[in-house]
Amino acid sequence: MPELPEVETALRGVSPYLDGFTIEKITVRQPKLRWAVSPELVELKNVKILALGRRAKYLIIHTEKGYIVGHLGMSGSVRIVPHDSPIDKHDHLDIVINNGKLLRYNDPRRFGAWLWTEDLDEFHLFLKLGPEPLSDEFNAEYLFKKSRKKTTALKTFLMDNAVVVGVGNIYANESLFLCGLHPLKSAGNLTRKQCGLIVDTIKTVLTKAIEQGGTTLKDFLQPDGRPGYFAQELLVYSNKDKPCPKCGTKIESLVIGQRNSYFCPHCQKKK
DNA sequence: AGTTGAACCTGAACGC
DNA sequence: TGCGTTCAGGTTCAAC
């Protein structure tokens, strides 16, 4: 489900109900997620939340004892509900707050994760992550150097978390369309100029998507229950056989690196 | 070292 | 209506 804008939206939605409050306890109903839920979470009692943050698509709850690291996987979501709210199917975990509310995590496919670490810098899942797409570290020179000698398809390259984090299937497709670059173009053949265009476009697309509360394809909801509004602006993603917004040519689709890809064969050239 | 694809899981949508 | 098949917003890890 969620790419960076959806995770950022979720974080902003839940923060006012968590930040500065105390976690009374964490209830786990289904520990079998992408990885087993860290046992430390169940042991937590009455710990103060110091701050909330995000790294890549991970939510981070900084407590006085350590860090809760959450991931929404493909189908996960979080919402804020009262303590006595009835439990729905796939409501796997609750973080109970001392303000009458709790953060409830629902995830049908269970590709998400809830883990514990006392040292974020040593956290194993963070070690190989590339820069944040909205940071200055993600710039034309970086992308140019990183892409040298890579034979991978450009789209696969951009979705690689070791290159840049947070760019999932929707925004990779949308960004490449806006750049006029073919998703199968070999990453190693990019020019400096093209790298600059890609960097600028990704930043613009992600920023705009965050402003609109993310993309709702079918089941993503902001924590307040509203959908994301970016879906109304999707130019190519899931629009196979529809006319290209720029030239009217039928949008094509192609599986690249196990993920469906959408592009305009006229506007997006391999060269 | 770089690249590819199997695996994790449920449910909605589609074809017959 | 029912049943089998395909596909889905992510990511790791094993095997070429």
Side-chain angles (χ1 to χ4, degrees):
Chain A
M1 77 66 84
E3 299 187 34
L4 189 145
E6 291 74 43
V7 177
E8 185 66 30
T9 298
L11 180 69
R12 292 180 185 187
V14 302
S15 282
Y17 302 94
L18 302 188
D19 203 1
F21 290 99
T22 292
I23 296 174
E24 293 180 351
K25 62 173 181 173
I26 295 180
T27 306
V28 177
R29 287 179 214 88
Q30 170 56 278
K32 291 181 184 174
L33 303 178
R34 178 70 166 81
W35 298 280
V37 172
S38 291
E40 288 92 337
L41 298 189
V42 185
E43 306 297 318
L44 277 188
K45 298 283 183 271
N46 300 315
V47 289
K48 190 172 181 194
I49 296 171
L50 304 178
L52 286 103
R54 177 187 60 72
R55 172 73 172 110
K57 295 170 191 164
Y58 296 92
L59 298 162
I60 301 169
I61 302 173
H62 181 184
T63 78
E64 56 186 333
K65 295 252 177 82
Y67 301 85
I68 300 168
V69 179
H71 196 290
L72 301 178
M74 288 278 258
S75 57
S77 61
V78 288
R79 62 190 197 281
I80 299 291
V81 298
H83 280 185
D84 60 358
S85 185
I87 292 153
D88 281 347
K89 197 172 183 184
H90 307 305
D91 282 345
H92 303 314
L93 179 145
D94 290 340
I95 299 180
V96 183
I97 311 299
N98 69 333
N99 57 5
K101 309 272 192 188
L102 53 85
L103 178 153
R104 180 159 284 170
Y105 162 71
N106 181 286
D107 188 355
R109 292 179 72 182
R110 289 192 274 124
F111 285 172
W114 288 93
L115 303 169
W116 173 258
T117 181
E118 287 171 18
D119 186 351
L120 270 194
D121 295 327
E122 293 293 313
F123 188 56
H124 65 291
L125 293 175
F126 288 5
L127 293 179
K128 291 185 301 178
L129 293 180
E132 288 289 324
L134 299 180
S135 72
D136 292 340
E137 208 187 324
F138 183 57
N139 57 47
E141 193 57 27
Y142 166 81
L143 196 66
F144 183 72
K145 283 196 177 135
K146 196 78 178 175
S147 59
R148 293 311 84 188
K149 295 181 181 171
K150 293 279 169 80
T151 57
T152 333
L154 174 54
K155 175 159 175 281
T156 308
F157 175 71
L158 293 176
M159 291 178 68
D160 182 350
N161 282 334
V163 174
V164 60
V165 301
V167 181
N169 202 23
I170 295 180
Y171 301 111
N173 278 300
E174 293 298 300
S175 299
L176 286 179
F177 171 73
L178 289 168
C179 289
L181 292 168
H182 197 288
L184 278 181
K185 178 183 174 69
S186 177
N189 290 343
L190 290 169
T191 64
R192 268 196 174 75
K193 193 177 170 184
Q194 287 170 329
C195 286
L197 177 61
I198 291 169
V199 164
D200 291 346
T201 304
I202 286 176
K203 288 176 192 285
T204 304
V205 169
L206 292 180
T207 302
K208 197 167 177 184
I210 290 170
E211 285 169 3
Q212 313 221 0
T215 298
T216 294
L217 287 185
K218 50 176 195 160
D219 54 15
F220 174 74
L221 294 179
Q222 304 185 50
D224 59 10
R226 291 155 58 229
Y229 296 98
F230 195 75
Q232 297 159 11
E233 298 201 14
L234 294 179
L235 301 172
V236 290
Y237 183 85
S238 84
N239 289 345
K240 180 177 160 67
D241 290 337
K242 290 181 185 163
C244 164
K246 287 185 192 169
C247 76
T249 304
K250 272 191 180 182
I251 290 167
E252 294 182 6
S253 76
L254 196 60
V255 175
I256 302 172
Q258 308 182 88
R259 311 305 298 276
N260 217 345
S261 307
Y262 302 85
F263 64 100
C264 169
H266 178 258
C267 296
Q268 293 172 262
K269 303 295 188 190
K270 282 193 192 178
K271 292 193 277 39

